[in-house]
Amino acid sequence: MPLVGPDLLMVAQWLSPSSPTGAFSFSQGLEAAVAEGLEVAGLEDWIDGMLRFGSGRTDAILMAAAARGEEVDDLALALAGSAGRRRETRETGLALRGLLAESFGTRTTGSAYPVVLGQAVRARNLPVASVGALYLQATVTALVHAGQRLLPLGQSRAQAMIHALGPLCCGIAETAAQSDIEEIGMATFGADIAAMRQADLPVRVFRS
């Protein structure tokens, strides 16, 4: 069933940039990539690759597994490709867990962000693919907004970029909802290396 009505608004609130998870302070290595030459023209391809072959697809599968009741928190943390990425998924996950408990009465036990979200999906009996699509769009939005802080990227072009990546978010979420954790596989080596190098930048805007 699609996500509609109050449930739709609730999930949108969980994933909103105003949600106190601190997600806005992380760039998943994008800051280092910009420092090493990534330009506006390559930003959409960068995010597209993250969705198809990196953390986007992986996190969507982990979220779906958690929504089925599988214990995947340790795996989610182990799959973080850098110290910054591990810190990101754990700190935002714990913040989301606190928000869910305090403001929505939803109890979760995970620490990695996609796992906490998946556990909330299970507790609320929400449609996995619909929540996954919104989660991936929120990830895209956060990365595009990070790009706006790092690159000469205007608001209209940024919104067009988010819109263009929408169908991909839906497709990945739909597939991930039916995927087993054995199907996880990442091949975004450039992004992983950039995430590692980000910690050594002399001046940093983001924490990852």
Side-chain angles (χ1 to χ4, degrees):
M1 295 294 292
L3 192 61
V4 296
D7 284 343
L8 173 61
L9 298 181
M10 178 181 65
V11 174
Q13 188 176 351
W14 292 351
L15 300 173
S16 168
S18 66
S19 178
T21 62
F24 66 89
S25 64
F26 297 93
S27 78
Q28 297 193 30
L30 180 60
E31 184 171 15
V34 171
E36 294 174 1
L38 181 69
E39 299 179 349
V40 171
L43 179 59
E44 186 173 333
D45 286 341
W46 171 276
I47 299 173
D48 183 290
M50 294 283 282
L51 290 173
R52 293 178 189 272
F53 310 116
S55 59
R57 178 178 178 274
T58 294
D59 284 358
I61 294 175
L62 289 167
M63 190 210 75
R68 293 191 295 267
E70 298 177 29
E71 297 291 337
V72 292
D73 199 56
D74 288 344
L75 175 62
L77 294 173
L79 288 172
S82 65
R85 174 64 178 149
R86 180 185 175 92
R87 182 169 61 249
E88 174 185 353
T89 193
R90 189 172 188 278
E91 291 186 8
T92 56
L94 291 175
L96 178 62
R97 190 171 84 181
L99 172 69
L100 291 169
E102 294 167 14
S103 299
F104 298 91
T106 300
R107 304 291 174 180
T108 57
T109 59
S111 59
Y113 189 98
V115 175
V116 174
L117 182 60
Q119 290 174 344
V121 167
R122 181 177 177 83
R124 292 278 185 168
N125 195 29
L126 300 172
V128 175
S130 294
V131 176
L134 288 172
Y135 172 40
L136 292 175
Q137 187 193 48
T139 300
V140 168
T141 300
L143 290 173
V144 170
H145 286 174
Q148 286 184 279
R149 296 176 66 182
L150 297 166
L151 294 163
L153 176 62
Q155 292 182 349
S156 296
R157 188 169 181 183
Q159 290 302 310
M161 196 176 295
I162 294 169
H163 176 68
L165 290 166
L168 180 59
C169 292
C170 292
I172 291 173
E174 189 69 36
T175 302
Q178 309 300 323
S179 299
D180 297 324
I181 57 172
E182 288 80 6
E183 297 177 61
I184 290 175
M186 292 183 284
T188 49
F189 304 113
D192 291 340
I193 292 170
M196 296 174 193
R197 290 178 176 170
Q198 194 269 351
D200 295 325
L201 292 177
V203 178
R204 289 182 292 165
V205 177
F206 295 95
R207 300 176 63 197
S208 76

